[in-house]
Amino acid sequence: MTMTVRKQIIAAIASTACVFTPVFAQQTTAIMDGRVLTGDGQTIEGGDVIIRDGRIAQVGSDLSAPAGARVIDASGKTVTPGIFAPVTTLGIEEISLDAEANDSGPNRGEGFPLGAALDAVDAIRSSSMVIPINRAGGVTRALVVPSPGDSLFGGKAAVIDLSGSDNSITRAGVAQVATLGYGGANRAGDTRMGSWAMMREMLDEARSYSANPNDYIRRAREGRHAIADLKALAPVVSGNQPVLAFVDGETDLRTLIRVKNAYGLRVIVVGGNEAWKVAPALAAANIPVILRPTSNLPSQFEDLGATLENAVRLHRAGVTIAFTGTDSDSFNLTALTHLGGIAVASGLPYDTAVAALTRNPAEMFGLGDDLGTVAPGKIADIVLWDGDPLEVTSAAEMVFINGAEQDLSNRQSALLARYRDLSRGALPHAYRGGE
Amino acid sequence: MTDWKKAALALSAGIVGIGLAACAQDDQQGDSAAADGPAEAAAASDTPAAQGSDDDKSGAVRPPKNPYPSTYNPYPSETTFITGATVLTGTGERIDNGSVLMENGRISAVGADLEAPEGAVIIDAESKWVTPGIIDIHSHLGDYPSPQTASTSDGNEITGPNTAEVWAEHSIWPQDAGFTRALAGGVTAMQILPGSANLFGGRSAIVKNVASRTVQDMKFPGAPYGLKMACGENPKRVYGDRGGPFTRMGNFSGYRKAWIAAKDYKKKWEDYWSAYDEWDPDGDEDEPSAPTRDLQMETLMGVLDGDIRVNMHCYRGDEMVQVLDMAEEFGYKVTTFHHAIEAYKIADYLAENNVCAAVWADWGGFKLEAYDTIQENAALIHAQDGGCAIIHSDSAIGIQRLNQEAAKAMAAGRRMGLDLPEEVVISWITANPAKAMGILDQTGTLEAGKMADLVVWNQNPFSVYALAEHVFIDGAQLFDRNNEAISPRVDFEIGQGGNQTTGGAGQ
């Protein structure tokens, strides 16, 4: 593509990602004397964080609480940026094995015609009870990721906050999901060659469409790809919207880098079990990896190199990392912090693990100016922990989103309140703990 | 949901289950097996000729109870003295600056003031912790192995709602790399179950986590069989459009019909054996003829005889209580409810009936019957008088960190105000599963005379940073994190990746 054409495309489709405006808490809060992990490698013992009108106003070690501020004594607590969960189905999947309660993607094998055109924003249910459960675990932001049906592309992922409010979308169209590796082969004649040929074909068609949509629509063509999908891929081929590529094996990762360079894509890898084998090339291509720290089994041939040291090896090579789980576990994203601890136990520097849970996802998704660290000017997504946030025995004690303290009660705490006493009582259990 | 997520669900949540089926030996035989060598003892006690032979008669037909006996033999071990450690014995005791002595593959002493015998290998475990070997009551290693292909998917015999006749050991692939990873997580024994697609999934196998060429070489000597059964969504989802059961009512009628048939079957054999006893070979009557063997009924009869332990996959509290009534109706015992997401709602019933509940620390929500998961589940099960909580994995990843899962469940219980010291909670992944599996007389705690199955951790195992440094099984060190030579690698992982050896327990 010539630069001229590319500029035209950018002009045509720039800013397709819309940013929503959060409601900021109109108050001043001073979190005083905590152990502050900033998310960008610093630890401030006895640290203070001043929050004003939803944003962090000051961070330091000898600050004074502003007059009229709500003062929170954080001594003995650890203060971190809110956990940013980079691969979730929050709000689009209440229960994975219940068809009506699972909107995470089209069913496989049913020939549903669209892929890239799907948009998580259309289905996110911010009142899902799964959101408060994760909020209580210190998760404040998440990327909501649609999964592909019969197309290689799954649609547009969106970042949400976990306030549960009806305007909790932080940014729509953050990334376009693609399944590659064996998942791609499954959708392309059961061969990886098929998945890459189809990927290139779709990117070519999307370029062609973007160059002149009106002409493209009138043109005689095979019609294999829906216009809606090609339209959705326009920001991808212009390099504005990253591809969130689910891929694990070394060979697929090398092909992915070639395709990225050939088409000028932005790419974020999810999985990357063998990414450590390609680490220098990933670093050179500026491709971050959202990896699974516990993945160490040869589940498929593309996973033969899976190792607990994936995180530390990628880090040493200069690859930006974040974490995701191995199960369908948007129900329990708190476990992300434990995955950080597991990566540390396998050699990853502690501060890098903290950054991988906070700053790195924010930056990967283009939200680094507003989110991801405890620093002046950032949106105040803050968590107070009762101990080391990466430790399995620790818990979040206070959670702030957009500067507002969050309610940490949830359906699980209501069930606990109802059933912690099993004695018969004056009225049945159905009268208890539901307030 | 991505493909790998769907695969994980299909394996671990959708149609996975457990199945234990036929106990071959009683406790006494187990003891003699331990003392005399498992293979010989098992063979001697289980051959048909050894049971019911009679001087005057050739002997009544008695179906073999253990035709695939354990051939496990401990690997050579040295007298080993671990000293200076925080020792959690699994019996509720914590010994600071404690020592453990292993001799001849057995634990010979545990205490605070022990001296190393001359010539013993000494492990200085200052600042380290020692626990019994971790035991997973719910694993599918070997029957859903890595790599996960159609070729190796051997965990669910989805050909009918009652497959009590299948035995997990006939699916187990000893070359599953998952065994090695579990070893690096301190797992020394596990129960491998058939999946949960069926009302009756089949028999389980209890194995020692020792790399072996054959399944028989792994089988835990003297361990009873279990039977895997499943409640709720899975059987009706799998069979709803294949002849049923279509509903939970259908599930129960399926169980009850089978138990009625099993009681008839048992009576046929008992009638035959008493007729044989009364038969006079010198008299006029023909020799009584034995009933035709039925493998499915043999397993169920083993349950009714108390030889085979019932392990029932059940999420909902109300269903579990109905299962308890069914067990009473037919005169058998449920040993453990597995997954038991709602055990906390009926923990009093479980304790009263002396039934264990094996649960995850914090996994759930993937289907409606798992929607009410809470992190305090294990603690609330434990908090009942006589409550028996077990943390299980049902996962080739989860089994590698049962210590961390127990830690999460412990922490949730502490936050609600329960007193849960580490020395008590360690039993959730050691003594309690051993008790439920019928091997507590041999392993599961650090007590003199027991198999020397133990783990030396680099720190408090109830931490995300804890790693198993040394794992001993019957006194033999089979994993040493600091010595690559003491780390198993399965066949599948050697000569891979450009003819390099990949894998290894600590991969």
Side-chain angles (χ1 to χ4, degrees):
Chain A
M1 187 192 307
T2 66
M3 285 309 294
T4 312
V5 172
R6 182 176 292 173
K7 278 178 189 163
Q8 286 173 347
I9 294 171
I10 291 170
I13 47 88
S15 304
T16 49
C18 45
V19 181
F20 293 69
T21 310
V23 176
F24 287 127
Q26 300 297 313
Q27 67 179 89
T28 302
T29 305
I31 301 170
M32 306 301 285
D33 202 22
R35 181 166 178 269
V36 179
L37 309 178
T38 60
D40 54 7
Q42 291 180 57
T43 300
I44 308 171
E45 301 291 348
D48 310 316
V49 181
I50 313 297
I51 301 169
R52 186 176 294 125
D53 297 339
R55 291 202 182 246
I56 296 168
Q58 282 178 284
V59 181
S61 54
D62 283 308
L63 303 180
S64 305
R70 178 189 176 200
V71 177
I72 293 164
D73 178 8
S75 54
K77 313 294 182 195
T78 301
V79 180
T80 69
I83 303 302
F84 197 135
V87 183
T88 81
T89 53
L90 282 182
I92 58 171
E93 180 182 270
E94 186 77 3
I95 299 178
S96 49
L97 286 174
D98 183 313
E100 192 268 340
N102 183 352
D103 291 318
S104 64
N107 292 338
R108 292 290 313 280
E110 294 183 3
F112 180 76
L114 300 178
L118 277 60
D119 191 340
V121 165
D122 292 331
I124 290 170
R125 193 167 71 94
S126 58
S127 61
S128 163
M129 76 89 168
V130 184
I131 288 173
I133 288 174
N134 287 301
R135 183 170 71 217
V139 181
T140 57
R141 302 275 161 171
L143 186 71
V144 180
V145 178
S147 62
D150 291 333
S151 169
L152 288 182
F153 290 97
K156 290 173 267 189
V159 170
I160 63 168
D161 69 47
L162 273 73
S163 66
S165 70
D166 55 10
N167 68 341
S168 55
I169 309 287
T170 306
R171 184 175 290 177
V174 167
Q176 175 62 244
V177 178
T179 185
L180 293 160
Y182 189 52
N186 261 194
R187 293 160 171 85
D190 203 29
T191 164
R192 288 174 173 81
M193 294 186 289
S195 67
W196 291 111
M198 184 170 286
M199 176 97 174
R200 288 188 179 98
E201 183 196 31
M202 287 195 74
L203 294 173
D204 287 336
E205 292 292 313
R207 276 180 167 184
S208 183
Y209 169 82
S210 296
N212 193 336
N214 288 334
D215 176 64
Y216 185 92
I217 290 167
R218 294 189 184 91
R219 204 181 299 162
R221 59 195 177 89
E222 293 177 40
R224 186 156 59 224
H225 303 296
I227 295 293
D229 279 352
L230 299 178
K231 192 175 174 185
L233 288 173
V236 170
V237 292
S238 69
N240 284 347
Q241 187 181 76
V243 174
L244 197 66
F246 285 71
V247 56
D248 281 301
E250 176 187 359
T251 301
D252 285 308
L253 287 161
R254 292 194 191 284
T255 306
L256 177 63
I257 292 168
R258 287 202 304 277
V259 170
K260 172 203 187 317
N261 291 336
Y263 285 85
L265 307 177
R266 288 175 58 206
V267 170
I268 300 167
V269 164
V270 180
N273 277 339
E274 294 194 331
W276 62 272
K277 292 185 163 186
V278 200
L282 289 168
N286 200 22
I287 297 178
V289 178
I290 303 169
L291 59 94
R292 302 183 281 263
T294 56
S295 185
N296 68 343
L297 286 162
S299 304
Q300 305 284 346
F301 279 84
E302 64 188 12
D303 307 315
L304 271 174
T307 168
L308 300 177
E309 293 186 2
N310 198 19
V312 64
R313 292 178 189 173
L314 287 169
H315 165 66
R316 283 188 191 137
V319 178
T320 301
I321 59 169
F323 305 131
T324 188
T326 54
D327 286 320
S328 178
D329 54 4
S330 287
F331 209 82
N332 187 31
L333 296 165
T334 306
L336 286 174
T337 57
H338 311 149
L339 294 178
I342 288 164
V344 170
S346 297
L348 188 70
Y350 184 91
D351 288 341
T352 306
V354 173
L357 293 161
T358 56
R359 183 190 65 184
N360 295 358
E363 292 185 349
M364 285 178 201
F365 305 139
L367 294 163
D369 288 345
D370 280 325
L371 292 164
T373 62
V374 180
K378 293 283 178 85
I379 291 173
D381 284 10
I382 305 260
V383 183
L384 264 70
W385 306 84
D386 64 2
D388 173 0
L390 308 191
E391 184 55 271
V392 283
T393 49
S394 298
E397 289 195 340
M398 294 183 84
V399 175
F400 295 83
I401 296 175
N402 296 324
E405 186 187 355
Q406 302 295 302
D407 179 8
L408 299 190
S409 66
N410 55 66
R411 191 163 176 279
Q412 291 183 327
S413 59
L415 283 163
L416 173 63
R418 171 168 282 185
Y419 286 104
R420 62 183 300 160
D421 176 5
L422 295 178
S423 62
R424 195 154 185 270
L427 285 167
H429 283 88
Y431 293 76
R432 304 177 203 174
E435 61 276 356
Chain B
M1 189 168 28
T2 55
D3 283 350
W4 62 265
K5 282 182 170 176
K6 284 181 178 167
L9 263 180
L11 280 176
S12 52
I15 44 176
V16 155
I18 290 183
L20 294 173
C23 163
Q25 298 152 320
D26 61 22
D27 287 345
Q28 194 178 357
Q29 287 166 330
D31 285 342
S32 70
D36 299 329
E40 292 78 2
S45 61
D46 289 313
T47 49
Q51 301 178 15
S53 64
D54 187 300
D55 286 348
D56 299 319
K57 306 175 187 178
S58 58
V61 174
R62 287 180 192 272
K65 290 191 172 183
N66 190 14
Y68 303 85
S70 166
T71 50
Y72 172 76
N73 264 315
Y75 276 83
S77 57
E78 298 177 276
T79 296
T80 305
F81 186 72
I82 303 167
T83 185
T86 302
V87 180
L88 305 180
T89 62
T91 61
E93 194 182 353
R94 168 184 171 137
I95 306 167
D96 291 316
N97 195 17
S99 303
V100 180
L101 177 62
M102 299 184 277
E103 292 180 293
N104 302 313
R106 297 266 152 181
I107 301 201
S108 58
V110 183
D113 301 309
L114 305 181
E115 301 250 328
E118 198 167 324
V121 174
I122 306 222
I123 296 180
D124 177 3
E126 192 185 337
S127 82
K128 301 182 196 298
W129 290 51
V130 176
T131 69
I134 306 304
I135 298 173
D136 190 359
I137 196 172
H138 193 130
S139 174
H140 298 289
L141 290 181
D143 62 13
Y144 279 120
S146 302
Q148 299 165 5
T149 69
S151 155
T152 60
S153 179
D154 288 321
N156 255 314
E157 183 60 30
I158 309 180
T159 51
N162 184 348
T163 60
E165 66 272 21
V166 305
W167 296 21
E169 65 202 71
H170 298 143
S171 274
I172 294 170
W173 185 38
Q175 297 291 343
D176 181 359
F179 288 117
T180 70
R181 311 300 197 271
L183 184 67
V187 173
T188 57
M190 71 192 81
Q191 173 165 249
I192 298 169
L193 296 149
S196 57
N198 301 348
L199 301 174
F200 296 88
R203 293 195 194 200
S204 71
I206 294 174
V207 301
K208 299 213 96 168
N209 192 13
V210 175
S212 301
R213 288 181 297 150
T214 69
V215 175
Q216 293 94 319
D217 267 357
M218 301 177 75
K219 285 180 71 178
F220 198 107
Y225 277 104
L227 168 66
K228 170 69 174 290
M229 294 177 63
C231 292
E233 287 187 27
N234 289 5
K236 72 191 205 94
R237 182 172 59 245
V238 172
Y239 294 101
D241 59 0
R242 298 165 61 180
F246 192 82
T247 63
R248 284 180 165 83
M249 299 186 285
N251 286 353
F252 266 78
S253 80
Y255 309 131
R256 296 175 76 207
K257 281 178 187 168
W259 290 124
I260 289 165
K263 283 181 110 60
D264 283 350
Y265 182 77
K266 178 168 146 72
K267 183 167 186 309
K268 263 191 222 165
W269 278 94
E270 287 168 350
D271 288 350
Y272 157 71
W273 286 320
S274 36
Y276 191 90
D277 279 349
E278 287 160 18
W279 172 60
D280 177 0
D282 301 325
D284 297 334
E285 294 196 17
D286 289 345
E287 179 174 347
S289 58
T292 303
R293 283 182 65 189
D294 180 321
L295 284 174
Q296 184 180 92
M297 289 296 126
E298 272 181 23
T299 292
L300 299 186
M301 183 167 86
V303 172
L304 296 174
D305 285 341
D307 293 337
I308 297 174
R309 292 170 178 242
V310 172
N311 290 260
M312 192 140 191
H313 155 124
C314 229
Y315 287 78
R316 254 172 47 183
D318 55 316
E319 274 183 309
M320 288 186 250
V321 175
Q322 291 194 315
V323 167
L324 292 175
D325 269 359
M326 177 168 65
E328 192 168 325
E329 179 184 7
F330 294 101
Y332 71 93
K333 170 152 178 57
V334 178
T335 307
T336 308
F337 284 113
H338 290 243
H339 311 333
I341 290 278
E342 293 188 0
Y344 67 95
K345 297 185 183 178
I346 48 104
D348 46 351
Y349 287 89
L350 298 179
E352 279 161 26
N353 286 276
N354 197 26
V355 180
C356 297
V359 300
W360 295 288
D362 57 5
W363 203 57
F366 42 84
K367 50 182 171 173
L368 195 56
E369 62 186 5
Y371 196 55
D372 287 3
T373 187
I374 66 171
Q375 296 183 15
E376 295 81 3
N377 197 15
L380 287 167
I381 295 161
H382 168 88
Q384 291 284 328
D385 265 348
C388 173
I390 296 170
I391 303 290
H392 67 359
S393 81
D394 190 19
S395 155
I397 296 290
I399 194 172
Q400 301 179 38
R401 292 175 196 83
L402 282 169
N403 57 313
Q404 293 179 20
E405 296 301 302
K408 286 190 270 186
M410 173 185 78
R414 286 177 176 178
R415 280 194 288 272
M416 66 168 286
L418 297 174
D419 178 28
L420 294 170
E422 284 98 332
E423 57 267 30
V424 169
V425 174
I426 193 71
S427 67
W428 299 357
I429 52 174
T430 56
N432 286 2
K435 179 179 80 169
M437 289 154 64
I439 55 175
L440 182 58
D441 58 335
Q442 302 191 68
T443 188
T445 62
L446 301 179
E447 292 178 281
K450 285 202 176 180
M451 294 168 167
D453 300 341
L454 64 78
V455 186
V456 181
W457 304 88
N458 67 344
Q459 58 179 283
N460 183 338
F462 294 88
S463 165
V464 76
Y465 307 114
L467 296 169
E469 284 198 345
H470 308 275
V471 181
F472 291 86
I473 298 181
D474 288 291
Q477 185 175 203
L478 297 181
F479 177 67
D480 180 348
R481 190 168 294 275
N482 302 311
N483 181 356
E484 276 194 27
I486 311 296
S487 182
R489 286 176 173 79
V490 297
D491 294 354
F492 182 68
E493 292 191 290
I494 62 175
Q496 295 275 13
N499 205 26
Q500 299 164 36
T501 293
T502 63
Q507 171 92 348

